[in-house]
Amino acid sequence: MAQFFPELKEDFKRLLKAAAGKKIAVAGHMRPDGDCISSQFALADILRECGAEEVVCLNQNPLPYLYEHFAYGSKLQSAAEFCDDSFEIVTVDCADYKRTNLELCSRFPSPLGCIDHHATNNTYAKINIIDTRASATAELIAGMAFDAGLKISKENANRLYMGIVMDTRQFTTSSVRTQTFEVATALVKSGADAAWVAVELYQRERFEKMKLLALYLQSMTMHFDGRVCVGVLPADAYTSTGAEKADSDGLVDYARAVNGVEIAVLLEALPNGVKGSLRGKGPQYMVNDLAAKFGGGGHMAAAGFTAEGYDLNTLYPKMLSLIEEHLLNLDKLNSKI
Amino acid sequence: MAQFFPELKEDFKRLLKAAAGKKIAVAGHMRPDGDCISSQFALADILRECGAEEVVCLNQNPLPYLYEHFAYGSKLQSAAEFCDDSFEIVTVDCADYKRTNLELCSRFPSPLGCIDHHATNNTYAKINIIDTRASATAELIAGMAFDAGLKISKENANRLYMGIVMDTRQFTTSSVRTQTFEVATALVKSGADAAWVAVELYQRERFEKMKLLALYLQSMTMHFDGRVCVGVLPADAYTSTGAEKADSDGLVDYARAVNGVEIAVLLEALPNGVKGSLRGKGPQYMVNDLAAKFGGGGHMAAAGFTAEGYDLNTLYPKMLSLIEEHLLNLDKLNSKI
């Protein structure tokens, strides 16, 4: 049978061997996403089954509501409160060790292993297993486990499938390749229930988030012949809807989804500033350059900033004039090519 | 190599052979969806490559805006205006021949072939190729083409992948099975670009639709301890937002997506009645029974009706009391089990 990650086979074996008989803490990055959570729980099970004496999962933040049904009874311990020095650390989905928890880093300065798919990973562990072609760390862990002939339980199949779905936004990102689907196929064969995972991820929305989305959609305005779409959340948006700060995640994607829109913006009024989220319809829009003008940053298609000392009335027009200039430069660049 | 639809291999060969040297019109159902459109264009290419003298695609309705980039220069002719009697008809995605166009049916009473995945298909053609396990007609056509060793062009890979994505709502329906992913994998290997398809399908939304969605979300109200979520579109919703009737498609899914909601409702004021759309969080909610009370119907998890002689003020409370009774019956049923 074909292997998913043949180049990583020996390193993965080495990690399993190194963990055998030891106490292992699988740490993920702060504010864990679906890929991180699924990778933590699944790898913990795998290490346990391959002979680790004891395995715990650590995170600076608690298990997000969205992923609670993927725990299947497993616990996510607080990295800040973890105090057993007899453990060794293995990280997942962490490009930088600091993204787990600073105290953890100083107490366990030399992590045993690291499994990740981020291009920016700085290989900080004794055994680093990095593959930037993988759409998700979950794809990497699943693929290596299949390659090693390990049995994937139905629970871990659901978890790892969920990690891939979250990091590829339902198979829609440019990181999706043939192997992404091959690993997904193998996970479904192992018992992953695509429909159940989707209900968990996409049919457990907070009612208050829907009301916040309504406010954002209603405020959406087109600029520059429909190339730019901007929506705002005024300071009372949260109190009037009952929504939480985290409920604004993903709202800006609705502006980007509009036909013809090249750059999408969400501006949120803060007590002493404005938070901005920027999206480009592709990396060619380099919205990180725009975010940098307000001291922010991010990726070429997704970036953000927090601009202190502004309010919506002062930031909105400034943002528009910066975007106008940015589009002009992009147009020049494209006409030159 | 394993076959996707081994039982259908001979029938598919028979259809290709029967079409060779003939003039074939590939007809789809009225108001075509992505599965229908992708199946029509892809099958037309396949029949052409396998020796049909001439192949056209027919539909009662024009090519929807959403799918125009999947035509790649192919045309969708008007079934109503098609007047060449020397053609033979092959249908795709049509459970009932009448769903193509009534005039077509009377002029070509004996269609040559039919490829479909609907359980309700009444096998009206000379060669009927039906497999209800397929998540989409596109999965069926792709699988049979691969089985037959035919080369799938990049264009047809994108089309057929799109058909699967649309009919499975991005791999989230209960019709998704291992083979759905295996066919998707084979299509991606043949050149389907999952990210491009997703931009086409999900990032070309009409701005006016977003404004209509805002109105719907804002109107959403919870009932019966959050088990039921109802939203309405008043008569002026379309004029105030500039939206079209088709823009209300899918709105009710936002109500169903709310955590805890079991039954979701969209009520639209019409000049002389109310249009209702009902969704259940699973088939166990049998919303078709509710729709039937107003002369409508549909599936167990998705149904609809048009109730004449009502307005929102009269229909809304009646709907609520019917749903209350329905939930009570469901609860009784479940406690008995």
Side-chain angles (χ1 to χ4, degrees):
Chain A
M1 198 185 147
Q3 296 269 304
F4 292 118
F5 296 99
E7 319 78 11
L8 303 176
K9 195 164 184 166
E10 288 310 314
D11 286 333
F12 189 56
K13 257 192 203 160
R14 226 158 39 98
L15 180 66
L16 294 178
K17 210 172 159 185
K22 297 225 182 81
K23 292 181 175 181
I24 304 289
V26 179
H29 60 73
M30 293 177 276
R31 292 184 296 279
D33 55 13
D35 189 25
C36 179
I37 290 294
S38 66
S39 297
Q40 286 190 260
F41 284 139
L43 183 66
D45 279 356
I46 289 169
L47 294 178
R48 220 172 272 128
E49 284 154 24
C50 291
E53 188 196 325
E54 193 183 337
V55 188
V56 299
C57 290
L58 296 185
N59 205 295
Q60 170 80 0
N61 302 101
L63 182 66
Y65 149 84
L66 195 60
Y67 311 121
E68 57 191 27
H69 294 162
F70 293 90
Y72 296 107
S74 289
K75 295 270 171 284
L76 197 63
Q77 296 194 25
S78 162
E81 292 166 16
F82 185 70
C83 55
D84 188 336
D85 285 351
S86 66
F87 277 71
E88 295 218 47
I89 307 286
V90 175
T91 68
V92 291
D93 206 37
C94 279
D96 190 320
Y97 190 29
K98 288 196 209 83
R99 290 200 64 212
T100 56
N101 169 288
L102 273 182
E103 211 193 300
L104 209 66
C105 298
S106 56
R107 281 180 46 217
F108 301 88
S110 182
L112 175 65
C114 158
I115 303 181
D116 188 25
H117 74 124
H118 292 102
T120 51
N121 190 292
N122 53 16
T123 60
Y124 47 80
K126 287 180 204 148
I127 301 170
N128 298 289
I129 306 179
I130 322 292
D131 196 322
T132 58
R133 295 166 309 169
S135 68
T137 300
E139 182 192 323
L140 200 49
I141 292 175
M144 292 193 301
F146 285 124
D147 290 349
L150 301 177
K151 194 183 148 20
I152 304 269
S153 67
K154 185 180 163 54
E155 290 76 13
N156 281 330
N158 271 331
R159 285 169 175 158
L160 294 167
Y161 178 81
M162 179 274 275
I164 294 172
V165 167
M166 286 305 282
D167 252 29
T168 63
R169 284 188 240 139
Q170 297 182 278
F171 304 99
T172 65
T173 56
S174 56
S175 60
V176 171
R177 56 193 181 130
T178 308
Q179 187 165 303
T180 314
F181 280 102
E182 285 171 337
V183 172
T185 306
L187 288 169
V188 173
K189 261 188 192 156
S190 299
D193 182 338
W196 178 81
V197 169
V199 169
E200 285 296 315
L201 295 178
Y202 305 112
Q203 298 200 11
R204 292 182 68 217
E205 293 284 3
R206 282 163 44 79
F207 185 66
E208 297 82 0
K209 176 168 184 161
M210 295 295 193
K211 297 294 178 179
L212 196 72
L213 172 58
L215 278 188
Y216 178 66
L217 293 175
Q218 208 147 37
S219 78
M220 276 183 0
T221 310
M222 298 288 246
H223 300 279
F224 310 124
D225 291 328
R227 297 178 69 184
V228 175
C229 184
V230 182
V232 300
L233 291 179
D236 66 351
Y238 293 92
T239 49
S240 72
T241 58
E244 298 171 0
K245 289 286 168 193
D247 289 330
S248 70
D249 284 356
L251 295 190
V252 66
D253 293 320
Y254 286 84
R256 175 168 56 181
V258 174
N259 191 35
V261 167
E262 298 168 36
I263 293 175
V265 183
L266 159 64
L267 299 177
E268 284 178 69
L270 301 179
N272 53 358
V274 175
K275 187 181 160 198
S277 301
L278 297 160
R279 294 288 181 275
K281 214 156 215 158
Q284 68 272 30
Y285 293 102
M286 296 185 287
V287 291
N288 51 341
D289 284 355
L290 282 168
K293 308 263 186 199
F294 296 100
H299 304 280
M300 290 164 82
F305 62 84
T306 301
E308 283 176 25
Y310 283 95
D311 62 20
L312 287 176
N313 290 328
T314 53
L315 193 122
Y316 198 133
K318 177 147 188 188
M319 171 59 75
L320 280 185
S321 80
L322 283 170
I323 291 181
E324 188 171 26
E325 197 186 341
H326 189 71
L327 283 177
L328 213 64
N329 287 334
L330 288 176
D331 290 348
K332 271 190 207 149
L333 207 66
N334 287 331
S335 67
K336 265 188 205 148
I337 292 164
Chain B
M1 198 187 146
Q3 296 269 306
F4 293 117
F5 296 100
E7 318 78 12
L8 303 177
K9 196 162 181 165
E10 288 310 313
D11 285 333
F12 189 55
K13 255 192 204 162
R14 226 157 41 97
L15 180 66
L16 294 179
K17 209 171 160 188
K22 298 225 182 80
K23 292 182 175 179
I24 304 289
V26 178
H29 60 75
M30 292 177 276
R31 292 183 296 280
D33 55 14
D35 188 27
C36 180
I37 289 294
S38 66
S39 296
Q40 286 190 262
F41 284 140
L43 183 65
D45 279 356
I46 288 169
L47 294 178
R48 221 172 269 128
E49 283 153 24
C50 290
E53 187 196 325
E54 192 183 338
V55 187
V56 299
C57 290
L58 297 186
N59 205 295
Q60 169 81 0
N61 302 101
L63 182 65
Y65 148 86
L66 194 59
Y67 310 121
E68 56 191 26
H69 294 163
F70 293 90
Y72 297 107
S74 288
K75 296 267 171 285
L76 197 63
Q77 295 194 27
S78 161
E81 292 167 16
F82 185 72
C83 55
D84 188 336
D85 286 351
S86 65
F87 276 72
E88 294 219 46
I89 306 287
V90 175
T91 69
V92 291
D93 205 38
C94 279
D96 189 320
Y97 190 30
K98 288 196 208 84
R99 291 201 62 213
T100 56
N101 170 289
L102 273 182
E103 210 194 303
L104 210 66
C105 299
S106 57
R107 279 181 46 219
F108 301 89
S110 183
L112 175 65
C114 157
I115 302 182
D116 188 24
H117 74 125
H118 292 101
T120 51
N121 190 293
N122 53 17
T123 60
Y124 47 81
K126 286 179 205 150
I127 302 171
N128 299 288
I129 306 180
I130 321 291
D131 196 320
T132 58
R133 296 167 308 168
S135 67
T137 300
E139 181 191 323
L140 200 49
I141 291 175
M144 292 193 301
F146 285 123
D147 289 350
L150 301 177
K151 195 183 149 18
I152 304 268
S153 66
K154 184 179 164 53
E155 289 76 14
N156 281 330
N158 271 331
R159 284 168 176 159
L160 294 167
Y161 178 81
M162 179 275 274
I164 294 173
V165 167
M166 287 305 283
D167 251 28
T168 64
R169 283 188 241 141
Q170 296 183 279
F171 304 100
T172 65
T173 56
S174 57
S175 59
V176 171
R177 55 190 182 135
T178 308
Q179 187 166 304
T180 314
F181 280 103
E182 286 171 336
V183 172
T185 306
L187 289 169
V188 172
K189 262 189 190 154
S190 300
D193 181 339
W196 177 80
V197 169
V199 169
E200 285 295 317
L201 295 179
Y202 304 112
Q203 298 200 12
R204 293 181 68 217
E205 292 284 2
R206 283 163 42 82
F207 185 66
E208 295 81 1
K209 176 171 184 160
M210 295 295 193
K211 297 294 179 180
L212 196 72
L213 172 58
L215 277 188
Y216 178 67
L217 293 175
Q218 210 146 36
S219 79
M220 275 183 0
T221 309
M222 297 288 245
H223 300 279
F224 310 122
D225 292 327
R227 298 177 69 184
V228 175
C229 184
V230 182
V232 301
L233 291 179
D236 66 352
Y238 293 93
T239 48
S240 71
T241 58
E244 297 171 359
K245 288 286 168 196
D247 290 328
S248 70
D249 284 356
L251 296 189
V252 68
D253 294 320
Y254 285 84
R256 175 169 55 180
V258 174
N259 192 34
V261 167
E262 298 168 36
I263 293 175
V265 183
L266 160 64
L267 300 177
E268 285 178 68
L270 302 179
N272 53 358
V274 175
K275 188 182 159 196
S277 302
L278 296 160
R279 295 289 181 274
K281 213 157 214 157
Q284 68 271 31
Y285 292 102
M286 297 184 287
V287 291
N288 50 340
D289 283 355
L290 282 168
K293 308 262 187 200
F294 296 100
H299 304 282
M300 289 164 81
F305 61 84
T306 301
E308 283 175 26
Y310 282 95
D311 62 21
L312 286 176
N313 290 328
T314 53
L315 193 122
Y316 198 133
K318 177 148 189 185
M319 171 59 74
L320 280 185
S321 80
L322 283 171
I323 291 182
E324 187 172 25
E325 197 185 342
H326 189 70
L327 284 176
L328 212 64
N329 286 335
L330 289 176
D331 291 347
K332 271 190 208 150
L333 208 66
N334 287 331
S335 68
K336 264 188 208 153
I337 293 165

